[in-house]
Amino acid sequence: MGASQKSPWFVHPALLAVALLYGGSYSIAKIAMNGYVPPFAFALLRIFFGTALLWLFHALTVKEKVTDRKDLWLMAKCGLFGVAMNQLLFLKGLSLTTAVNSSIIMTLIPIMVMVFSYFFLKEALGWRKVGGLLLALAGAILLLYKKEFGLSASTLQGDLFNFLNAASYAFYLILVKPLMQKYHPLTVIKWVFFFSCFIVFPFSITDLFTIQWSTFTGEVWGSLVYIIVFTTAVVYWLNVITLKYVSPSIVGVYIYLQPLFASLVAVLFFGELLLQKQIIAAVLIFSGVYFVSFSGKQKTKTEPQTS
């Protein structure tokens, strides 16, 4: 099913849910990572337990088997680019640069998705799609930009890791798209997570043994559950479901809603003030997402070539 066909009603609500769940995660994840769980151990816990949940749910519902070993190889590559590199490069990069730099660099993901879609999936670029992406990008940068943003020698390595993380996740959205036409989304994502476990394990196992589990409070456990269940298993599952019906460019542009929702969570639950720039950014982001999502039929020149 190509992106040119009318998508089911649940696709855009699902993408909104992904952005909302991720938006809340920025504040919630800090609870567990604030002296309780080291970054790489955090990534391993997310991926390991996320894998267990996906395999259990798949066994109880779909029970579909992969029919071609070449597809397993492609799923392994998706696990490398979409989960393992995504987690490790982001966490490593964040430790070597500023949170502001990381946030700004992450705004490059939808742009990379659109470029990769053009070259690998032969997805046509229209003025509404490009214009909508630029509107949403402007809104995200307005929302995220602070005076302390800056590229320097001291943050160069971390900024590079975050750039590579953005590129790897964008490439994952392109790689996984053809698998959606052949298998149930749960079948795909359970194998993607399965392979990513083996990649992340050697980088994270040492940090895992440093965790002092007895010091965990109820809030810390709640933070871990939220991140593992909702922003790992549920979010990745919803993303691959939507990729069955819409193009990676549409999935990518919804990323711009994440910092907006993160700001709203901070305003509603953490007492931060609602600023004028946040309102302007919201208008720009929602306008951009609308233009990209409803930019008309998306033509393709040839069949996707990603494997």
Side-chain angles (χ1 to χ4, degrees):
M1 183 180 296
S4 61
Q5 297 181 337
K6 186 177 180 180
S7 57
W9 67 269
F10 59 80
V11 168
H12 293 286
L15 289 170
L16 281 171
V18 168
L20 182 58
L21 289 170
Y22 261 134
S25 72
Y26 291 100
S27 299
I28 296 172
K30 288 181 181 179
I31 299 173
M33 295 184 68
N34 188 21
Y36 291 97
V37 184
F40 277 16
F42 196 77
L44 182 60
L45 290 173
R46 287 186 67 177
I47 295 171
F48 179 82
F49 285 104
T51 301
L53 286 173
L54 291 167
W55 275 70
L56 176 62
F57 193 31
H58 184 273
L60 294 175
T61 56
V62 182
K63 301 178 182 179
E64 181 185 42
K65 294 183 178 180
V66 177
T67 56
D68 191 335
R69 288 186 178 181
K70 290 183 179 180
D71 294 331
L72 284 176
W73 170 238
L74 182 54
M75 290 173 187
K77 288 194 288 185
C78 289
L80 170 64
F81 288 102
V83 182
M85 288 180 64
N86 173 246
Q87 292 295 317
L88 295 177
L89 286 173
F90 173 74
L91 292 169
K92 185 63 176 178
L94 188 60
S95 69
L96 296 172
T97 187
T98 65
V100 174
N101 280 23
S102 295
S103 299
I104 296 294
I105 292 171
M106 288 303 101
T107 63
L108 296 175
I109 292 178
I111 296 174
M112 293 179 181
V113 171
M114 189 171 289
V115 172
F116 289 158
S117 295
Y118 177 78
F119 285 104
F120 291 101
L121 299 181
K122 307 304 178 184
E123 186 179 301
L125 298 178
W127 70 267
R128 291 184 66 181
K129 182 185 293 185
V130 175
L133 182 69
L134 294 177
L135 273 178
L137 174 63
I141 292 178
L142 174 64
L143 187 66
L144 295 169
Y145 182 79
K146 297 180 181 178
K147 290 182 179 180
E148 58 264 34
F149 172 76
L151 301 176
S152 65
S154 62
T155 64
L156 181 60
Q157 188 177 7
D159 295 333
L160 178 59
F161 278 132
N162 278 325
F163 177 81
L164 292 174
N165 161 52
S168 71
Y169 188 75
F171 190 53
Y172 155 74
L173 291 178
I174 306 303
L175 280 177
V176 79
K177 175 68 177 177
L179 293 169
M180 293 299 98
Q181 318 308 316
K182 192 171 182 179
Y183 298 103
H184 190 280
L186 260 179
T187 302
V188 175
I189 202 61
K190 80 160 193 174
W191 281 107
V192 168
F193 265 71
F194 174 78
F195 288 118
S196 69
C197 280
F198 294 96
I199 302 169
V200 170
F201 183 82
F203 295 97
S204 309
I205 189 61
T206 302
D207 282 353
L208 189 65
F209 287 117
T210 67
I211 298 176
Q212 301 295 320
W213 301 96
S214 60
T215 65
F216 281 23
T217 64
E219 280 190 332
V220 174
W221 285 113
S223 172
L224 277 176
V225 170
Y226 179 87
I227 297 299
I228 291 170
V229 175
F230 294 105
T231 63
T232 304
V234 173
V235 159
Y236 271 87
W237 177 40
L238 288 177
N239 268 337
V240 292
I241 288 175
T242 58
L243 278 169
K244 189 175 183 69
Y245 303 103
V246 298
S247 72
S249 295
I250 293 176
V251 175
V253 78
Y254 269 85
I255 290 173
Y256 287 137
L257 288 174
Q258 293 175 18
L260 176 61
F261 286 153
S263 296
L264 292 178
V265 168
V267 169
L268 293 174
F269 298 102
F270 295 92
E272 292 192 11
L273 297 177
L274 181 64
L275 304 176
Q276 183 180 25
K277 79 167 188 176
Q278 292 172 320
I279 298 174
I280 297 173
V283 173
L284 290 172
I285 291 171
F286 275 110
S287 299
V289 170
Y290 174 82
F291 280 121
V292 174
S293 300
F294 304 98
S295 57
K297 292 186 177 181
Q298 299 167 24
K299 300 176 182 178
T300 55
K301 300 174 183 178
T302 62
E303 293 298 314
Q305 298 175 358
T306 58
S307 57

